[in-house]
Short mmCIF file of all heavy atoms in Angstrom, two decimals:
data_model
loop_
_atom_site.label_atom_id
_atom_site.label_comp_id
_atom_site.label_asym_id
_atom_site.label_seq_id
_atom_site.Cartn_x
_atom_site.Cartn_y
_atom_site.Cartn_z
N ALA A 700 112.58 101.21 104.10
CA ALA A 700 112.69 102.50 103.36
C ALA A 700 113.48 103.53 104.16
O ALA A 700 114.21 104.39 103.53
CB ALA A 700 111.28 103.05 103.10
N ILE A 701 113.44 103.50 105.43
CA ILE A 701 114.13 104.59 106.27
C ILE A 701 115.61 104.63 106.01
O ILE A 701 116.14 105.71 105.73
CB ILE A 701 113.78 104.38 107.77
CG1 ILE A 701 112.35 104.54 108.07
CG2 ILE A 701 114.61 105.39 108.62
CD1 ILE A 701 111.76 105.87 107.74
N PRO A 702 116.32 103.51 106.06
CA PRO A 702 117.80 103.61 105.79
C PRO A 702 118.10 104.12 104.38
O PRO A 702 119.11 104.82 104.15
CB PRO A 702 118.25 102.13 105.95
CG PRO A 702 117.25 101.55 106.86
CD PRO A 702 115.95 102.15 106.46
N ILE A 703 117.26 103.78 103.38
CA ILE A 703 117.49 104.18 102.03
C ILE A 703 117.26 105.71 101.91
O ILE A 703 118.07 106.42 101.31
CB ILE A 703 116.51 103.47 101.09
CG1 ILE A 703 116.71 101.97 101.17
CG2 ILE A 703 116.65 103.96 99.65
CD1 ILE A 703 115.75 101.15 100.31
N ILE A 704 116.21 106.22 102.57
CA ILE A 704 115.94 107.59 102.53
C ILE A 704 117.06 108.41 103.27
O ILE A 704 117.55 109.43 102.78
CB ILE A 704 114.61 107.92 103.25
CG1 ILE A 704 113.46 107.31 102.42
CG2 ILE A 704 114.34 109.41 103.40
CD1 ILE A 704 112.11 107.41 103.09
N VAL A 705 117.47 107.93 104.47
CA VAL A 705 118.50 108.62 105.20
C VAL A 705 119.76 108.64 104.53
O VAL A 705 120.56 109.62 104.59
CB VAL A 705 118.56 107.97 106.65
CG1 VAL A 705 119.74 108.56 107.41
CG2 VAL A 705 117.29 108.13 107.43
N SER A 706 120.15 107.56 103.85
CA SER A 706 121.46 107.50 103.19
C SER A 706 121.46 108.17 101.85
O SER A 706 122.51 108.15 101.14
CB SER A 706 121.87 105.92 103.08
OG SER A 706 120.99 105.28 102.18
N GLY A 707 120.34 108.67 101.41
CA GLY A 707 120.27 109.42 100.16
C GLY A 707 120.19 108.44 98.95
O GLY A 707 120.70 108.76 97.84
N GLY A 708 119.59 107.33 99.09
CA GLY A 708 119.44 106.32 98.05
C GLY A 708 118.57 106.86 96.91
O GLY A 708 117.83 107.85 97.05
N THR A 709 118.68 106.29 95.70
CA THR A 709 117.94 106.67 94.58
C THR A 709 116.46 106.29 94.65
O THR A 709 116.09 105.39 95.42
CB THR A 709 118.51 106.06 93.29
OG1 THR A 709 118.38 104.64 93.29
CG2 THR A 709 120.01 106.43 93.12
N LEU A 710 115.61 106.98 93.85
CA LEU A 710 114.20 106.67 93.82
C LEU A 710 113.98 105.24 93.29
O LEU A 710 113.09 104.50 93.74
CB LEU A 710 113.50 107.66 93.01
CG LEU A 710 113.33 109.09 93.59
CD1 LEU A 710 112.63 110.01 92.57
CD2 LEU A 710 112.62 109.07 94.88
N PHE A 711 114.80 104.81 92.33
CA PHE A 711 114.75 103.45 91.80
C PHE A 711 114.98 102.40 92.83
O PHE A 711 114.29 101.41 92.94
CB PHE A 711 115.72 103.34 90.59
CG PHE A 711 115.76 101.85 90.13
CD1 PHE A 711 114.76 101.42 89.25
CD2 PHE A 711 116.77 101.01 90.46
CE1 PHE A 711 114.80 100.04 88.79
CE2 PHE A 711 116.82 99.71 90.00
CZ PHE A 711 115.82 99.24 89.18
N GLU A 712 116.02 102.70 93.64
CA GLU A 712 116.42 101.77 94.70
C GLU A 712 115.22 101.69 95.73
O GLU A 712 114.89 100.57 96.14
CB GLU A 712 117.61 102.34 95.39
CG GLU A 712 118.18 101.48 96.51
CD GLU A 712 119.37 102.10 97.20
OE1 GLU A 712 119.86 103.14 96.69
OE2 GLU A 712 119.82 101.59 98.25
N LEU A 713 114.64 102.81 96.04
CA LEU A 713 113.50 102.79 96.96
C LEU A 713 112.30 102.03 96.38
O LEU A 713 111.72 101.24 97.05
CB LEU A 713 113.10 104.22 97.35
CG LEU A 713 112.01 104.45 98.32
CD1 LEU A 713 112.35 103.85 99.68
CD2 LEU A 713 111.74 105.96 98.51
N ALA A 714 111.98 102.35 95.18
CA ALA A 714 110.83 101.74 94.48
C ALA A 714 110.98 100.23 94.32
O ALA A 714 110.07 99.47 94.57
CB ALA A 714 110.55 102.39 93.14
N ALA A 715 112.18 99.82 93.94
CA ALA A 715 112.46 98.39 93.69
C ALA A 715 112.35 97.59 94.97
O ALA A 715 111.78 96.54 95.05
CB ALA A 715 113.79 98.21 93.07
N SER A 716 112.88 98.17 96.05
CA SER A 716 112.88 97.43 97.35
C SER A 716 111.38 97.33 97.79
O SER A 716 110.97 96.26 98.32
CB SER A 716 113.67 98.18 98.38
OG SER A 716 113.19 99.46 98.60
N GLN A 717 110.62 98.39 97.63
CA GLN A 717 109.21 98.36 98.08
C GLN A 717 108.42 97.36 97.22
O GLN A 717 107.48 96.69 97.70
CB GLN A 717 108.58 99.69 97.98
CG GLN A 717 109.16 100.72 98.96
CD GLN A 717 109.09 100.29 100.38
OE1 GLN A 717 108.08 100.04 100.90
NE2 GLN A 717 110.31 100.19 101.03
N PHE A 718 108.68 97.29 95.99
CA PHE A 718 108.01 96.38 95.02
C PHE A 718 108.21 94.94 95.47
O PHE A 718 107.21 94.18 95.56
CB PHE A 718 108.47 96.61 93.61
CG PHE A 718 107.93 95.61 92.62
CD1 PHE A 718 106.61 95.79 92.12
CD2 PHE A 718 108.61 94.55 92.21
CE1 PHE A 718 106.04 94.90 91.24
CE2 PHE A 718 108.05 93.60 91.32
CZ PHE A 718 106.77 93.86 90.82
N ILE A 719 109.41 94.59 95.77
CA ILE A 719 109.68 93.19 96.15
C ILE A 719 109.16 92.85 97.52
O ILE A 719 108.55 91.78 97.72
CB ILE A 719 111.24 92.97 96.10
CG1 ILE A 719 111.75 93.05 94.68
CG2 ILE A 719 111.60 91.60 96.70
CD1 ILE A 719 113.28 92.96 94.56
N ILE A 720 109.33 93.78 98.48
CA ILE A 720 108.88 93.48 99.86
C ILE A 720 107.37 93.38 99.90
O ILE A 720 106.80 92.57 100.60
CB ILE A 720 109.33 94.64 100.75
CG1 ILE A 720 110.85 94.59 100.94
CG2 ILE A 720 108.71 94.55 102.11
CD1 ILE A 720 111.41 95.76 101.68
N ASN A 721 106.62 94.21 99.11
CA ASN A 721 105.19 94.27 99.17
C ASN A 721 104.47 93.52 98.07
O ASN A 721 103.26 93.70 97.95
CB ASN A 721 104.76 95.74 99.22
CG ASN A 721 105.29 96.50 100.40
OD1 ASN A 721 105.23 96.04 101.47
ND2 ASN A 721 105.84 97.67 100.17
N LEU A 722 105.21 92.74 97.35
CA LEU A 722 104.57 92.01 96.19
C LEU A 722 103.48 91.08 96.57
O LEU A 722 102.48 90.89 95.87
CB LEU A 722 105.66 91.25 95.40
CG LEU A 722 105.24 90.55 94.12
CD1 LEU A 722 104.76 91.61 93.12
CD2 LEU A 722 106.41 89.76 93.51
N ARG A 723 103.55 90.58 97.84
CA ARG A 723 102.52 89.66 98.28
C ARG A 723 101.19 90.33 98.38
O ARG A 723 100.12 89.65 98.25
CB ARG A 723 102.91 89.11 99.63
CG ARG A 723 102.77 90.04 100.82
CD ARG A 723 103.26 89.46 102.08
NE ARG A 723 103.00 90.24 103.28
CZ ARG A 723 103.71 91.26 103.66
NH1 ARG A 723 104.75 91.67 102.92
NH2 ARG A 723 103.39 91.96 104.70
N TYR A 724 101.13 91.62 98.56
CA TYR A 724 99.84 92.32 98.67
C TYR A 724 99.06 92.26 97.38
O TYR A 724 97.83 92.30 97.35
CB TYR A 724 100.01 93.78 99.10
CG TYR A 724 100.52 93.89 100.50
CD1 TYR A 724 101.66 94.74 100.76
CD2 TYR A 724 99.91 93.30 101.59
CE1 TYR A 724 102.14 94.84 102.12
CE2 TYR A 724 100.37 93.41 102.85
CZ TYR A 724 101.47 94.20 103.11
OH TYR A 724 101.96 94.30 104.43
N ALA A 725 99.77 92.20 96.20
CA ALA A 725 99.10 92.15 94.92
C ALA A 725 98.38 90.78 94.81
O ALA A 725 97.22 90.75 94.38
CB ALA A 725 100.14 92.21 93.85
N LEU A 726 98.98 89.71 95.34
CA LEU A 726 98.36 88.42 95.31
C LEU A 726 97.18 88.35 96.25
O LEU A 726 96.12 87.79 95.92
CB LEU A 726 99.37 87.32 95.64
CG LEU A 726 100.64 87.24 94.77
CD1 LEU A 726 101.61 86.22 95.28
CD2 LEU A 726 100.28 86.94 93.32
N MET A 727 97.36 89.01 97.43
CA MET A 727 96.23 89.04 98.37
C MET A 727 95.07 89.85 97.85
O MET A 727 93.91 89.47 98.06
CB MET A 727 96.73 89.66 99.68
CG MET A 727 97.67 88.75 100.48
SD MET A 727 98.70 89.61 101.68
CE MET A 727 97.50 90.45 102.60
N SER A 728 95.35 90.93 97.15
CA SER A 728 94.29 91.75 96.56
C SER A 728 93.47 91.01 95.48
O SER A 728 92.26 91.12 95.39
CB SER A 728 94.86 93.01 95.95
OG SER A 728 95.38 93.88 97.01
N ILE A 729 94.23 90.26 94.71
CA ILE A 729 93.58 89.38 93.66
C ILE A 729 92.59 88.43 94.31
O ILE A 729 91.46 88.29 93.87
CB ILE A 729 94.64 88.71 92.80
CG1 ILE A 729 95.42 89.68 91.97
CG2 ILE A 729 93.90 87.67 91.91
CD1 ILE A 729 96.54 89.09 91.22
N THR A 730 93.05 87.79 95.39
CA THR A 730 92.20 86.84 96.11
C THR A 730 91.00 87.47 96.74
O THR A 730 89.85 87.03 96.65
CB THR A 730 93.00 86.11 97.18
OG1 THR A 730 94.13 85.45 96.56
CG2 THR A 730 92.15 85.07 97.87
N LEU A 731 91.25 88.66 97.37
CA LEU A 731 90.19 89.36 98.07
C LEU A 731 89.09 89.87 97.04
O LEU A 731 87.94 89.94 97.36
CB LEU A 731 90.77 90.51 98.85
CG LEU A 731 89.78 91.35 99.61
CD1 LEU A 731 88.98 90.51 100.66
CD2 LEU A 731 90.45 92.56 100.35
N SER A 732 89.55 90.22 95.85
CA SER A 732 88.61 90.74 94.86
C SER A 732 87.52 89.78 94.58
O SER A 732 86.41 90.14 94.19
CB SER A 732 89.35 91.10 93.59
OG SER A 732 89.91 89.97 92.94
N GLN A 733 87.77 88.53 94.80
CA GLN A 733 86.76 87.47 94.54
C GLN A 733 85.65 87.50 95.62
O GLN A 733 84.57 86.93 95.37
CB GLN A 733 87.40 86.07 94.47
CG GLN A 733 88.58 85.94 93.56
CD GLN A 733 88.29 86.35 92.14
OE1 GLN A 733 87.35 85.93 91.58
NE2 GLN A 733 89.14 87.21 91.57
N LYS A 734 85.95 88.14 96.71
CA LYS A 734 84.98 88.21 97.85
C LYS A 734 84.16 89.44 97.78
O LYS A 734 83.13 89.55 98.48
CB LYS A 734 85.75 88.23 99.14
CG LYS A 734 86.42 86.92 99.49
CD LYS A 734 85.54 85.96 100.17
CE LYS A 734 86.28 84.72 100.65
NZ LYS A 734 85.37 83.78 101.39
N LEU A 735 84.53 90.46 96.95
CA LEU A 735 83.83 91.73 96.95
C LEU A 735 82.52 91.62 96.11
O LEU A 735 82.55 91.05 95.04
CB LEU A 735 84.71 92.86 96.34
CG LEU A 735 86.11 93.03 97.05
CD1 LEU A 735 86.93 94.01 96.32
CD2 LEU A 735 85.89 93.35 98.50
N ASP A 736 81.45 92.24 96.69
CA ASP A 736 80.21 92.12 95.92
C ASP A 736 80.06 93.28 94.95
O ASP A 736 80.99 94.07 94.76
CB ASP A 736 79.03 92.13 96.94
CG ASP A 736 78.88 93.45 97.74
OD1 ASP A 736 79.40 94.47 97.30
OD2 ASP A 736 78.27 93.44 98.83
N SER A 737 78.90 93.35 94.31
CA SER A 737 78.68 94.33 93.25
C SER A 737 78.66 95.77 93.67
O SER A 737 78.77 96.70 92.85
CB SER A 737 77.37 94.00 92.50
OG SER A 737 76.28 94.07 93.43
N SER A 738 78.61 96.07 94.99
CA SER A 738 78.54 97.46 95.46
C SER A 738 79.99 98.10 95.41
O SER A 738 80.10 99.27 95.53
CB SER A 738 78.08 97.51 96.88
OG SER A 738 78.98 96.86 97.79
N VAL A 739 80.98 97.27 95.18
CA VAL A 739 82.37 97.76 95.18
C VAL A 739 82.77 98.09 93.73
O VAL A 739 82.89 97.22 92.91
CB VAL A 739 83.36 96.71 95.75
CG1 VAL A 739 84.75 97.29 95.84
CG2 VAL A 739 82.90 96.23 97.13
N SER A 740 82.98 99.42 93.45
CA SER A 740 83.35 99.84 92.16
C SER A 740 84.87 99.67 91.98
O SER A 740 85.62 99.36 92.91
CB SER A 740 82.98 101.34 92.00
OG SER A 740 83.74 102.16 92.81
N LEU A 741 85.33 99.97 90.75
CA LEU A 741 86.77 99.89 90.45
C LEU A 741 87.59 100.86 91.29
O LEU A 741 88.62 100.55 91.87
CB LEU A 741 87.01 100.18 88.94
CG LEU A 741 88.49 100.21 88.50
CD1 LEU A 741 89.17 98.82 88.74
CD2 LEU A 741 88.58 100.56 87.01
N PHE A 742 87.07 102.09 91.46
CA PHE A 742 87.71 103.09 92.30
C PHE A 742 87.77 102.66 93.76
O PHE A 742 88.80 102.84 94.46
CB PHE A 742 87.01 104.43 92.17
CG PHE A 742 87.62 105.54 92.98
CD1 PHE A 742 88.86 106.09 92.55
CD2 PHE A 742 87.05 106.02 94.18
CE1 PHE A 742 89.47 107.12 93.34
CE2 PHE A 742 87.64 107.04 94.89
CZ PHE A 742 88.88 107.57 94.48
N ASP A 743 86.68 102.01 94.25
CA ASP A 743 86.66 101.55 95.59
C ASP A 743 87.73 100.48 95.83
O ASP A 743 88.38 100.38 96.89
CB ASP A 743 85.31 100.86 95.91
CG ASP A 743 84.16 101.89 95.92
OD1 ASP A 743 84.50 103.10 96.14
OD2 ASP A 743 83.05 101.53 95.67
N ARG A 744 87.99 99.68 94.81
CA ARG A 744 88.97 98.61 94.93
C ARG A 744 90.41 99.18 95.10
O ARG A 744 91.17 98.62 95.90
CB ARG A 744 88.90 97.73 93.67
CG ARG A 744 87.64 96.86 93.57
CD ARG A 744 87.56 96.17 92.23
NE ARG A 744 86.30 95.50 92.13
CZ ARG A 744 86.17 94.12 92.28
NH1 ARG A 744 87.21 93.45 92.63
NH2 ARG A 744 85.01 93.59 92.18
#
């Protein structure tokens, strides 16, 4: 993100790069959600 910010890149450019780079976290969160007990609310997630 730093080079994009410094070079004055667009918000779309910044968002798209972050989406692709961090997409794995969505899969990890789905897997982790199966481990969470009933004390964890939607907001907590």
Side-chain angles (χ1 to χ4, degrees):
I701 297 300
I703 300 175
I704 295 172
V705 173
S706 63
T709 64
L710 291 176
F711 173 78
E712 183 182 352
L713 182 61
S716 63
Q717 295 304 303
F718 175 78
I719 293 175
I720 291 172
N721 299 313
L722 186 59
R723 73 184 188 280
Y724 291 129
L726 303 177
M727 288 161 54
S728 293
I729 292 173
T730 302
L731 181 59
S732 67
Q733 310 304 310
K734 293 275 187 176
L735 303 178
D736 65 22
S737 58
S738 68
V739 184
S740 67
L741 178 61
F742 181 73
D743 294 334
R744 290 170 185 262

